[in-house]
Amino acid sequence: MRDFYGVTLDTPLMLGTAQYPSPAIMAAAFRASGASVATVSLRREGGQGQAFGALIRDLGVRILPNTAGCYSAREAITTAHMARELFGTNWIKLEVIGHADTLQPDPFGLLDAATVLIAEGFEVFPYTTEDQVLAQRLLEAGCRVLMPWGAPIGSGLGLNNRYGLKTLRAAFPDVPMVVDAGLGMPSHAAEAMEMGFDAVLLNTAVAQAGDPVAMARGFALAAQAGALAHAADPMAPRDMAAPSTPVIGKAWL
């Protein structure tokens, strides 16, 4: 697997920590998923204090704090500072939301916040769209990872713009990329990995499933299957049928 700021993850699955029916179910879902990274929203989870922080650390995975719910660069920067102090990591999933209904990233605020945080030593994972111009600007600012959305957060719609995601992946082949947000089914994760993305990040699809533990396991298997398929150099689609059984040696009557 490709490394993320010098860290090679054991599995291509990143999992969120919000909205689970209970802390025990969350912990069980993480065990079933084999996730390498837990994302934590300071604005939503921080109010639970040290007990929640201890619970997250007990998961035994790498922590990726995020700035979910921030609608300005200034707000996101302040939240990132709090996250670094609380969790002792320079990793930050940077979200600057620009639209309340779609939760689409604000490209201008995102770039401004990323520029400031990178100068302050943060290792930024920017939640972005599939826009190649914005991707280039984020890379020029010092981001070494991109996290394009699959669909609006919590929608479960899967990969809304497959063409955009494919062209983004092809445009920056050496940049680690994570499809983040909107994945609703394990098949969505498999498809993202088959496109050549390096990991997937999701939360709602597991946390709000009827059986979060079983769904977490399903996503784990799907992400691994997609990664294996991409590495295996799959066949290209054909417009016409091609026989899989050779006709050489066939008896002609």
Side-chain angles (χ1 to χ4, degrees), residues 43 66-77 79-80 95-98:
R43 292 172 60 87
N66 69 55
T67 64
C70 292
Y71 281 79
S72 71
R74 180 178 179 182
E75 192 178 14
I77 291 166
T79 303
E95 295 184 28
V96 183
I97 302 302

Side-chain angles (χ1 to χ4, degrees), residues 26-221:
M26 182 190 74
F30 265 86
R31 288 194 296 271
S33 73
S36 296
V37 172
T39 61
V40 183
S41 169
L42 223 66
R43 292 172 60 87
R44 296 197 178 102
E45 314 294 357
Q48 300 186 41
Q50 296 299 320
F52 184 80
L55 176 64
I56 297 301
R57 292 185 181 90
D58 286 346
L59 295 174
V61 300
R62 193 167 187 95
I63 297 173
L64 176 60
N66 69 55
T67 64
C70 292
Y71 281 79
S72 71
R74 180 178 179 182
E75 192 178 14
I77 291 166
T78 300
T79 303
H81 290 162
M82 295 168 59
R84 181 158 66 178
E85 182 175 344
L86 179 61
F87 291 107
T89 178
N90 287 325
W91 277 22
I92 191 72
K93 179 190 167 188
L94 181 61
E95 295 184 28
V96 183
I97 302 302
H99 193 276
D101 291 334
T102 63
L103 302 181
Q104 178 173 324
D106 172 359
F108 309 102
L110 179 65
L111 182 57
D112 288 346
T115 301
V116 171
L117 291 173
I118 289 166
E120 295 178 346
F122 283 88
E123 295 172 329
V124 175
F125 292 66
Y127 166 62
T128 182
T129 64
E130 64 277 16
D131 187 295
Q132 290 190 37
V133 176
L134 176 56
Q136 183 64 49
R137 296 292 184 270
L138 289 166
L139 295 173
E140 291 171 354
C143 293
R144 290 164 52 192
V145 175
L146 295 173
M147 301 185 79
W149 65 347
I153 295 170
S155 68
L157 292 172
L159 307 182
N160 267 2
N161 185 355
R162 289 166 174 79
Y163 170 78
L165 288 169
K166 286 181 179 179
T167 55
L168 180 69
R169 176 69 282 181
F172 305 101
D174 298 324
V175 176
M177 291 191 196
V178 182
V179 172
D180 173 22
L183 304 184
M185 293 293 291
S187 57
H188 300 154
E191 185 177 7
M193 297 301 298
E194 288 168 2
M195 287 183 184
F197 286 90
D198 302 289
V200 292
L201 191 157
L202 56 129
N203 188 162
T204 307
V206 168
Q208 295 191 351
D211 185 341
V213 177
M215 187 63 78
R217 180 61 176 157
F219 269 100
L221 294 172

